[in-house]
Amino acid sequence: MLEFLTVTFFSILAAGFVVGIVVGLTGMGGGALMTPALIFLGVGEAATVVTADLTAAAVYKTGGAIVHKREGSPNMQLAKWLMIGSIPMALLGPHLVSWVVSPEDIDDALKLCIGFALLLAAATYAMRLYLNLRRVRGGEHPDDNPAIRPVPTLLVGALGGLLVGITSVGSGSVIMIALLMLYPGLSAVRLVGTDLVQAVPLVLAAAISNIALHGLDWGILIPLVLGSVPGTLIGSAIAPRVPQSFIRRGIVVVLTMSGVALLDKAGWAPLGKEETHPILIAGVGVAVLVVLPVVWGFLRKQQGLPMFGSPTIAQLEDPAYRPGLVGMKRVDDS
């Protein structure tokens, strides 16, 4: 037993705990944060890290899904069509990579895939904010039981399943924004509940497929679960008292920098194959931090709002926020 208690063990435990807190605070997908964190810690090859992260996610997502199911928040018909598309592709994804990439190149190929997936996850968060802005500005009302569109929903599940099976990224970010685009009236609680319910069999299928191919490193999985589960519980408990908007914006910066860093680490051709570029990665982070608020301001102006002010990002992410905007003024429903 004592051979497990190494510096690496406690590093993974700490990473799992911190990421678990962020997941509990914001509801954002853990794979988008945990997978790059473990890769940068150097605890194993990319395939090993993806497998452990998916297996851990199957554990802690199950608890969240059970809670939402008891509260009746998931749209089970919608979740069914997502699972029909996602589970087969999650099983296929890892094998597809092994068929088209030679064994010695798999590590770099997975880092490239994860890097692009992280940039996509960061972009989907920005898109989610914009869609929420349009919803609030347009005065749209929730529709928790929309007419299901089977073919588009199945395709979203299939693409999400392929992404998750290969990279472990996407079950809590990319699929959610796709659902929001397909079903804009779906309330935030219903959206999260549906996404969680479909994510459990999705990540479980992806984990099984990756374990069959790459095996399971218990030295990574055990501290990951031990850290992430209590972290998620603590994050969920303190979430009402923490300004999530600042944390979420920080996550977008981290995801963008992590994505570029992984592309750099994998030797992506535009960044060169001979050396890392820490100044470039830091510059990307600063640029995102500075440029995004300006772009956001112009998007607000397109919706007839001032560049900064109400509704704030925190208000846009509050499912109870119903301003009833007429012109620039809030009108009560009564």
Side-chain angles (χ1 to χ4, degrees):
M1 179 65 186
L2 291 178
E3 64 268 17
F4 278 104
L5 302 180
T6 63
V7 173
T8 300
F9 178 94
F10 288 107
S11 298
I12 298 170
L13 186 76
F17 182 71
V18 172
V19 172
I21 288 177
V22 175
V23 171
L25 281 172
T26 65
M28 294 187 73
L33 298 170
M34 184 59 71
T35 300
L38 294 177
I39 290 175
F40 292 134
L41 280 175
V43 300
E45 299 292 326
T48 305
V49 167
V50 167
T51 304
D53 182 49
L54 284 168
T55 307
V59 174
Y60 63 75
K61 282 181 181 288
T62 299
I66 290 172
V67 171
H68 279 273
K69 184 66 174 66
R70 285 176 178 172
E71 294 176 355
S73 65
N75 184 315
M76 295 306 297
Q77 189 71 8
L78 182 53
K80 179 191 76 174
W81 283 103
L82 285 170
M83 288 186 282
I84 290 172
S86 66
I87 293 173
M89 295 305 291
L91 290 168
L92 175 63
H95 294 278
L96 192 61
V97 173
S98 69
W99 293 335
V100 300
V101 180
S102 60
E104 61 271 16
D105 294 330
I106 282 183
D107 191 58
D108 284 341
L110 285 178
K111 286 174 183 174
L112 280 175
C113 291
I114 295 168
F116 284 118
L118 292 176
L119 296 179
L120 179 60
T124 58
Y125 172 67
M127 178 62 73
R128 178 179 168 185
L129 282 180
Y130 180 64
L131 291 175
N132 282 343
L133 178 66
R134 293 187 61 178
R135 172 186 59 80
V136 170
R137 187 61 175 153
E140 295 178 11
H141 296 287
D143 180 11
D144 284 338
N145 294 290
I148 304 299
R149 301 164 62 189
V151 174
T153 305
L154 190 147
L155 289 175
V156 166
L159 291 173
L162 184 64
L163 185 65
V164 172
I166 294 173
T167 68
S168 82
V169 177
S171 65
S173 52
V174 177
I175 291 179
M176 189 178 288
I177 188 63
L179 284 181
L180 193 56
M181 294 174 73
L182 279 177
Y183 305 99
L186 206 62
S187 68
V189 173
R190 198 78 153 171
L191 183 67
V192 172
T194 303
D195 182 66
L196 265 176
V197 166
Q198 68 85 29
V200 173
L202 165 57
V203 296
L204 186 58
I208 290 170
S209 187
N210 275 277
I211 290 171
L213 266 179
H214 310 295
L216 181 59
D217 190 332
W218 292 94
I220 298 177
L221 178 64
I222 291 173
L224 191 56
V225 172
L226 290 177
S228 60
V229 171
T232 302
L233 294 174
I234 292 173
S236 301
I238 64 176
R241 297 185 291 275
V242 177
Q244 296 186 26
S245 58
F246 291 104
I247 297 174
R248 288 177 180 264
R249 278 177 277 183
I251 289 174
V252 172
V253 176
V254 171
L255 289 180
T256 305
M257 293 178 67
S258 298
V260 173
L262 277 177
L263 295 178
D264 188 34
K265 193 177 182 68
W268 187 44
L271 298 180
K273 295 186 177 182
E274 301 300 327
E275 59 179 339
T276 57
H277 302 79
I279 295 178
L280 171 64
I281 295 166
V284 167
V286 172
V288 171
L289 199 61
V290 172
V291 172
L292 273 187
V294 177
V295 174
W296 178 244
F298 280 109
L299 290 175
R300 288 172 58 93
K301 286 196 72 174
Q302 286 184 348
Q303 297 296 316
L305 295 169
M307 289 188 69
F308 306 100
S310 185
T312 64
I313 289 177
Q315 288 171 326
L316 289 175
E317 293 180 333
D318 180 3
Y321 184 66
R322 297 285 181 270
L325 289 174
V326 175
M328 295 298 297
K329 298 180 180 179
R330 178 172 176 168
V331 178
D332 294 332
D333 294 332
S334 58

